[in-house]
Amino acid sequence: MFVKNAWYCAGWDFMVSQGKNALLARQLAGERVVLYRKPDGAVVALEDRCPHRQAALSLGAKEGDSLRCMYHGMKFSPEGQCTEVPGMTRIPDRACVRPFPVVERENWIWVWMGDPALADPGLIPVSVGYSHPDWNMKTSQMHVAANYRLEIANLADLSHLAWVHQKSLGGDDAETRTRYTNIKAQYTVLPRGLRTEYEVRSVPAPNFLRHLFPAEARFDLSFDITHTVPCTWVLHFQAFVADGKEEGAPTGDPVANTMTCQAVVPNDADSVEYYFSWGSHKDFDFPGLSDLLREVLDVAFLEDAHVLEAQHLRVTEKPDHPQVALVHDVGPTKMLKVLDKLLAEEQLAAAAPATPAKQRGAVAA
């Protein structure tokens, strides 16, 4: 169901503070994880499950670099080893919890859920954080009761802006609807994702910006999207004064240069946490603009959630119900194919017989 050898976003860095009781509980790809920050600033991620009776370590307490379970007082090092059991002089050999590799990058906290030996920081998706000097990024988050594959399909197909987001990111006019339902995208399949590029020509400003421009103003919009497994979505969005052309890169005067970085993180089969940001490049920013961008995402993603949560219920009820394919399914099909390929590769590797070296290692352990 979930690719394990991947970096999963656990939230923004400010969510894990130096507070005495600052323990962050997360469910990432079906696994319970607790995160905390050591006095030196490094973030620790451990399985949120005490080996005694599966008490929640996220209900524990920090002690220096360590974490103490507040059910019976077992203390664990950042590496997951139990270092103290109150009332016992000998620590059981199996008294340990699983540690996870952690990296902080561009203000996101990334946790590797698979084999620690394969935790390559080079696989962390490229993004723009709120501390980037060139961008004024504003952050937000949302819980959605839907399977992450539905979110992937939704993000890989922006033609739905003409319908779901008529009052926010899109428009309720015929020009906008026609242009968005006839997107001609260029796709580049990546080893762990999909790049999608296209232009939307000669449309009014999106509804949430329309009050800032004359009614007759028309714009060419440029979309450059990098979508990576498990589900990180980064869009470089630019707007130009319409140049009257139907093809090629827009040549009109630029009026907006923005980035939105989004991470859809599956908790389990039925829900996701959504961490997202949007902001303007500082060369195009003016007071209140980036705040407006973040505000409209809060509205738009509630519109998405309304659709996806209802869809999730119906897919869960009838998972084998026949579906009709549309032209708008090209992007979702390509992205889900990348995901399924990685899932199949992991399943194949897990089913492979152990090598003699691995077998000897297992016996020695």
Side-chain angles (χ1 to χ4, degrees), residues 158-159 178-185 187 198-200 328:
L158 291 191
S159 68
T178 298
R179 294 291 184 173
Y180 272 103
T181 53
N182 289 277
I183 290 172
K184 299 295 188 292
Y187 299 101
Y198 59 88
E199 289 81 34
V200 176
H328 310 300

Side-chain angles (χ1 to χ4, degrees), residues 324-345:
V324 176
L326 301 178
V327 66
H328 310 300
D329 298 331
V330 174
T333 299
K334 289 180 179 293
M335 186 60 200
L336 289 170
K337 186 176 180 180
V338 172
L339 174 66
D340 288 336
K341 180 176 182 291
L342 292 172
L343 282 168
E345 289 173 352

Side-chain angles (χ1 to χ4, degrees), residues 208-214 286 289 292:
F208 79 101
L209 290 173
R210 205 160 287 183
H211 62 287
L212 298 176
F213 298 97
F286 56 87
L289 173 61
L292 172 59

